[in-house]
Amino acid sequence: MSFANVCAAELVKFRTLLSNRITVACALVGVALVGLLMGSNIGPSGNLVQGGPGSQAVASPMQFVMFSMMILGVLSATNEIRNGTFRVTLSIAPWRTLVLGGKMVTLAAIGLAVTVVGLLIAYGSSLITASGTPYAPLSNGGTSVILAFLGSVPLVTALGVAVGVLVRSTAGALSILLVWAFAGEGLLSVVLPDNVDPYLPFMMIGAGPGLLPEGPGPVLGLVIFGVYVAIVVGLAFFLVERRDIS
């Protein structure tokens, strides 16, 4: 079985699960609702009333897409391992790295497609409620903050798959990723020097770069985050060849 066939099979598996489509739809609805809310908070200066840049009216809603795709990445790996379908796939294409690589590439591509749709929804919904204000989310570096989602969402999706394969437990993998992203980095930012905490993984992607001007910025931050993800993905490939799938 070729790599293209593996990717095609992964796409079919993703599309056949109703829960995947519901999760993506809910994420996009969340993007629209938060986009409407953020747009209504645009002040006369074109920035948020609370002081954040206008680009956050698009970046903040996109957090729904980013974390939803990461969760789907975890579920796609752990559900297959738990249900034994990963083992069935290996009986057809008995190259573990090929199967795992196909899964990551397919889900990352789906994440990219959902990101494009999400960005359009976020911009459109925020523009509706920001009418009458000098709202320009792409100005003052906003373009790089917003377009960085085109890289960060596929990366976090692959990260979700890799952690799911490493931990082999849905609850365990989601706990590690979500607790680290929402609590672990927040606690570390309190104790770490101000010039260090912007380099924590999830601080460098998503809405973070637009709120942390002292950090590496959205482009360099995405590159560094990509290195973090590559290490975890490499470990997943290394171990998947050397231990039992079940």
Side-chain angles (χ1 to χ4, degrees), residues 105-231:
V105 169
T106 302
L107 287 171
I110 293 171
L112 178 61
V114 175
T115 301
V116 172
V117 176
L119 286 172
L120 294 175
I121 292 174
Y123 178 71
S125 59
S126 60
L127 196 62
I128 292 172
T129 50
S131 62
T133 67
Y135 174 47
L138 301 182
S139 62
N140 300 320
T143 302
S144 56
V145 172
I146 293 170
L147 293 183
F149 278 98
L150 296 174
S152 59
V153 174
L155 283 175
V156 297
T157 306
L159 177 65
V161 175
V163 173
V165 169
L166 289 171
V167 180
R168 296 189 289 185
S169 164
T170 302
L174 290 178
S175 296
I176 290 171
L177 289 170
L178 296 178
V179 170
W180 173 264
F182 290 106
E185 292 193 358
L187 293 174
L188 286 175
S189 66
V190 176
V191 299
L192 291 175
D194 291 341
N195 61 341
V196 174
D197 61 81
Y199 290 85
L200 293 171
F202 286 95
M203 294 285 190
M204 295 188 294
I205 60 171
L211 299 173
L212 298 170
E214 68 277 10
V219 177
L220 179 58
L222 183 62
V223 172
I224 299 173
F225 183 77
V227 173
Y228 289 152
V229 173
I231 293 171

Side-chain angles (χ1 to χ4, degrees), residues 44-75:
S45 65
N47 296 322
L48 296 178
V49 174
Q50 295 85 350
S55 60
Q56 289 301 304
V58 176
S60 294
M62 285 300 297
Q63 298 290 99
F64 277 98
V65 169
M66 190 170 74
F67 285 104
S68 294
M69 289 308 303
M70 184 178 73
I71 291 170
L72 286 179
V74 169
L75 293 176

Side-chain angles (χ1 to χ4, degrees), residues 14 18-35 61-69 71-72 114 117-118 121:
F14 185 89
L18 179 61
S19 59
N20 289 341
R21 300 199 298 272
I22 291 175
T23 301
V24 170
C26 289
L28 294 177
V29 170
V31 167
L33 294 177
V34 177
M62 285 300 297
Q63 298 290 99
F64 277 98
V65 169
M66 190 170 74
F67 285 104
S68 294
M69 289 308 303
I71 291 170
L72 286 179
V114 175
V117 176
I121 292 174

